Amino acid sequence: MERYYQPEIETAAPEQIRAWQSERLVRQVRHVWDNVPYYRAKMEEKGLTPDDIKGVEDLRKLPFVTKADLREAYPYGLVAVPLKDCVRIQSTSGTTGKRVVAFYTKEDIDLWEDCCARAIVAAGGTNEDVCQVSYGYGLFTGGPGLNGGSHKVGCLTVPTSSGNTERQIMFIRDLNATILCCTPSYAAYIAETMKEMGLTPDQIPLKAGIFGAEAWSEEMRQDIQKTLGIKAYDIYGLTELSGPGVAFECSAQQGMHINEDHFIAEIIDPETSEVLPDGQQGELVFTSITKRAFPLLRYRTRDVCVLSHEKCSCGRTHVRMAKPRGRTDDMLIIRGVNVFPSQIETVLLNLGYGANYQIIVGRVNHTDTLEVKVEMTPEMFTDNMGEIAARQKSIVEGLRSMLGLTAKVTLVAPKSIVRSEGKAVRVIDNRKI
């Protein structure tokens, strides 16, 4: 039987959800108009005042906000409450330009933790569970968000943060951890290490995992589920909006339910900015309608996905977003072809390889080059050059079929690609150097 953290909200009628959204959007637009000069200037540029926004149907009148806006307004330009009312900041893990710094009131944190609690309950969590949070803590939102959500559910919370994999496994086994929260690439590494220790899925107490903060394929999910003997749930979030818990997966594992009482989602054409209908793939845009300290209206996430309002078997009525296919800014354009790392990962996992690979893009004589370094598993490791050549050829053909491109494939020894304890670094694009 499906359980809910806040059933009256999670299973609310669509008309009720829309009414909440309209009321909160109108209030939020007035809030930013009155308190954020940067927003007011953007609205005035479009000839808008708060009186023009009477409900959700007027959302598309509002200007978009991008990461460039956040950097331009850094650090305090988008804060909508007095600083004395802010109790925390979180920051993105970005490596270029100024970091995005998001602000939170006490109420903002409370609502964010509610969203994370919904995700934990959807994954089967109760106050009987031991929840090990192996996301990074500190400025990164993963650890603090799931930590707070775990407390709200009443789980015994093990705040291990990321890294020190042997200690992670020791706590999982000694404390009988039942729920693991971390990035999917780190979950894969923990699973690989447990397998090397000779542990079988029935010797691992975990029953569920909540994995997010990076794109991962369905094939990677199946691999983690098989190795750890768990059900692996996706979770989605952005520091700019609050953190993990913007959307989460239920037992159906058919997309992530967006917490529509806090966020309004749109899909737009990334080139024309036109709003697209249900079922069409495009760029995901979010409007935060309850956050007070750092409210973002029509924030362009750069994530590429699809929305669905089809009825879900779990009973939740909030719209679902598909697992992001990639990002418009992570998308590689190679010889005129759009390539997402997740497509390459799908090919590799379908051919029996692990999730440890590296994509190297270069340019020779004004022509793009694509190389994929792939780790062999211990079972397939060999120094037989003929066998290696045959395996490489098989991957080349799989990638050509998926991408329409020919890539150079290099098979490397097990464990020769550096493991990630946080977000995995998959792509090295040497064309920018």
Side-chain angles (χ1 to χ4, degrees), residues 118-385:
R118 291 179 194 177
I120 291 170
V121 172
T126 72
N127 58 8
E128 303 280 332
D129 282 291
V130 178
C131 183
Q132 185 154 317
V133 183
S134 303
Y135 284 109
Y137 281 69
L139 290 172
F140 180 57
T141 55
L146 271 301
N147 191 90
S150 177
H151 286 177
K152 288 231 171 172
V153 175
C155 303
L156 173 61
T157 308
V158 186
T160 51
S161 193
S162 59
N164 199 333
T165 305
E166 288 183 8
R167 186 179 64 187
Q168 300 274 1
I169 294 170
M170 179 191 77
F171 276 136
I172 288 171
R173 299 181 71 196
D174 292 353
L175 299 176
N176 284 317
T178 49
I179 300 173
L180 175 65
C181 305
C182 61
T183 62
S185 55
Y186 193 41
Y189 182 37
I190 290 172
E192 179 186 35
T193 306
M194 285 187 172
K195 190 175 180 181
E196 287 172 358
M197 293 168 64
L199 292 172
T200 57
D202 59 353
Q203 294 174 302
I204 300 167
L206 295 171
K207 68 177 185 182
I210 300 174
F211 307 132
E214 62 188 16
W216 53 308
S217 65
E218 183 59 33
E219 290 76 13
M220 187 173 182
R221 185 217 297 270
Q222 298 301 332
D223 195 49
I224 292 170
Q225 290 190 152
K226 180 181 172 185
T227 314
L228 289 178
I230 64 171
K231 194 161 183 175
Y233 295 82
D234 210 345
I235 190 168
Y236 176 89
L238 298 148
T239 301
E240 297 91 321
L241 295 171
S242 63
V246 172
F248 61 90
E249 213 165 30
C250 63
S251 58
Q253 292 180 309
Q254 295 291 317
M256 289 171 278
H257 290 279
I258 294 168
N259 284 310
E260 289 191 277
D261 52 324
H262 299 296
F263 307 100
I264 303 174
E266 303 170 273
I267 295 287
I268 65 166
D269 181 316
E271 300 297 326
T272 66
S273 301
E274 175 195 359
V275 178
L276 300 175
D278 251 23
Q280 285 201 27
Q281 179 174 284
E283 181 183 346
L284 185 59
V285 173
F286 273 114
T287 295
S288 171
I289 51 175
T290 55
K291 195 168 182 193
R292 304 302 287 164
F294 197 73
L296 295 188
L297 306 182
R298 303 198 83 196
Y299 180 66
R300 295 186 60 161
T301 68
R302 301 297 180 187
D303 283 320
V304 176
C305 77
V306 175
L307 296 182
S308 171
H309 282 89
E310 286 182 14
K311 189 175 180 181
C312 184
S313 61
C314 78
R316 290 177 179 82
T317 50
H318 294 221
V319 68
R320 280 173 292 167
M321 58 177 278
K323 183 185 285 289
R325 183 180 172 216
R327 290 172 59 83
T328 57
D329 52 359
D330 282 355
M331 181 181 74
L332 298 163
I333 301 177
I334 300 171
R335 301 198 288 275
V337 177
N338 294 348
V339 175
F340 290 100
S342 58
Q343 293 173 300
I344 293 172
E345 181 176 292
T346 294
V347 171
L348 298 180
L349 288 166
N350 280 338
L351 290 172
Y353 295 88
N356 296 300
Y357 60 92
Q358 210 160 50
I359 301 164
I360 302 166
V361 185
R363 184 164 285 148
V364 177
N365 297 328
H366 307 294
T367 301
D368 293 336
T369 61
L370 172 63
E371 179 183 4
V372 183
K373 288 188 175 179
V374 185
E375 268 191 10
M376 288 182 275
T377 65
E379 296 78 23
M380 63 175 65
F381 185 54
T382 179
D383 57 3
N384 183 317
M385 298 308 293

Side-chain angles (χ1 to χ4, degrees), residues 38 65-78 91-101 240 294 296 299 302 327 329:
Y38 192 94
V65 175
T66 67
K67 190 161 277 193
D69 287 309
L70 271 60
R71 290 193 174 121
E72 185 179 328
Y74 173 93
Y76 294 127
L78 291 174
S91 179
T92 60
S93 55
T95 54
T96 58
K98 285 179 177 169
R99 280 174 165 261
V100 172
V101 176
E240 297 91 321
F294 197 73
L296 295 188
Y299 180 66
R302 301 297 180 187
R327 290 172 59 83
D329 52 359

